């Protein structure tokens, strides 16, 4: 996910090569594959920063009630703490993807660390959940050259988002999440939301959970299927 990016970093990224600036909106418009633009009748629901024992089980319960599946971008450090939640995510038909080991900006992390942490997270997902992840989303959406190379070496496809709910702030509410997402609730969208507040304002996940039923309802009312990235039709 992407948030709390200082203005100075925004300016600095504008001078980097394409892989270092893919989180920027103009660049994402020019790279629809990395943005997660999918099939015209499908919306990809993605959740970042878990699995969190305080909140992820409630999201899984609500998704089960809605009969909806999602892609969970997990942090290795969080999955190591609660491996049973990773197994539950898979057992209930959802998809697990890689968000990194810690929530570090790949543009400011010392060389070599990102490579090792992406590899370690992939191996942990394999060992704990019995599946091989297919997707990688860098923290803050800052896809450095090293992260891009490491993702490819681990057979991961980088993907960002086309719409977010700005659900990480202390002022977020279910209504504000819906209002922010609304312009992007269309076919082919990849939605960025969060099932944990580990890098957000305390309790921010409650706004996301409160908005989730209406997000799914609005998509379905428009004739759009809602599901994980594996069903989204993102071209290789």
């Amino acid at each position: 996910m992407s948030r709390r990016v200082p203005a100075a970093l925004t300016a600095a990224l504008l001078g980097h090569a394409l892989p270092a600036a893919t989180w920027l909106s103009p660049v994402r418009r020019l790279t629809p594959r990395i943005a997660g633009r999918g099939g015209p009748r499908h919306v990809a629901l993605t959740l970042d920063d878990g699995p969190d024992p305080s909140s992820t089980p409630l999201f899984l319960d609500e998704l089960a009630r809605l009969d909806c599946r999602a892609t969970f971008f997990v942090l290795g450090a969080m999955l190591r703490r609660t491996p049973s939640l990773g197994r539950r995510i898979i057992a209930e038909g959802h998809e697990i993807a890689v968000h990194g080991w810690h929530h570090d900006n790949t543009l400011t992390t010392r060389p070599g660390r990102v490579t090792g942490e992406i590899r370690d997270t992939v191996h942990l997902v394999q060992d704990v959940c019995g599946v091989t992840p297919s997707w990688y989303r860098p923290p803050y959406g800052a896809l450095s050259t090293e992260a891009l190379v490491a993702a490819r070496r681990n057979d991961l496809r980088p993907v960002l988002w086309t719409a977010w709910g700005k659900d990480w702030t202390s002022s977020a509410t279910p209504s504000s999440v819906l209002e922010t997402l609304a312009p992007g609730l269309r076919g082919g969208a990849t939605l960025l939301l969060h099932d944990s507040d580990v890098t957000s304002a305390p309790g921010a996940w409650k706004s996301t959970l409160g908005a989730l039923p209406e997000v799914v309802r609005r998509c379905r009312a428009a004739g759009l299927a809602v599901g994980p990235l594996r069903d989204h039709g993102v071209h290789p």
Side-chain angles (χ1 to χ4, degrees), residues 1 3 48-50 73 75 78 99 103 194-196 198-199:
M1 60 90 189
R3 56 188 183 277
D48 284 11
D49 294 354
F73 281 87
L75 295 172
M78 297 293 285
H99 198 33
H103 202 275
H194 300 84
D195 65 309
S196 171
V198 65
T199 63

Side-chain angles (χ1 to χ4, degrees), residues 123-149:
H123 290 168
L124 183 63
V125 170
Q126 291 171 329
D127 293 343
V128 167
C129 304
V131 298
T132 297
S134 298
W135 307 96
Y136 168 65
R137 173 178 289 155
Y140 305 103
L143 185 59
S144 68
T145 299
E146 182 185 347
L148 180 61
V149 171

Side-chain angles (χ1 to χ4, degrees), residues 106-127:
T106 68
L107 296 170
T108 58
T109 303
R110 62 173 174 78
R113 180 174 173 178
V114 171
T115 298
E117 292 191 349
I118 289 176
R119 180 196 61 230
D120 291 347
T121 305
V122 169
H123 290 168
L124 183 63
V125 170
Q126 291 171 329
D127 293 343

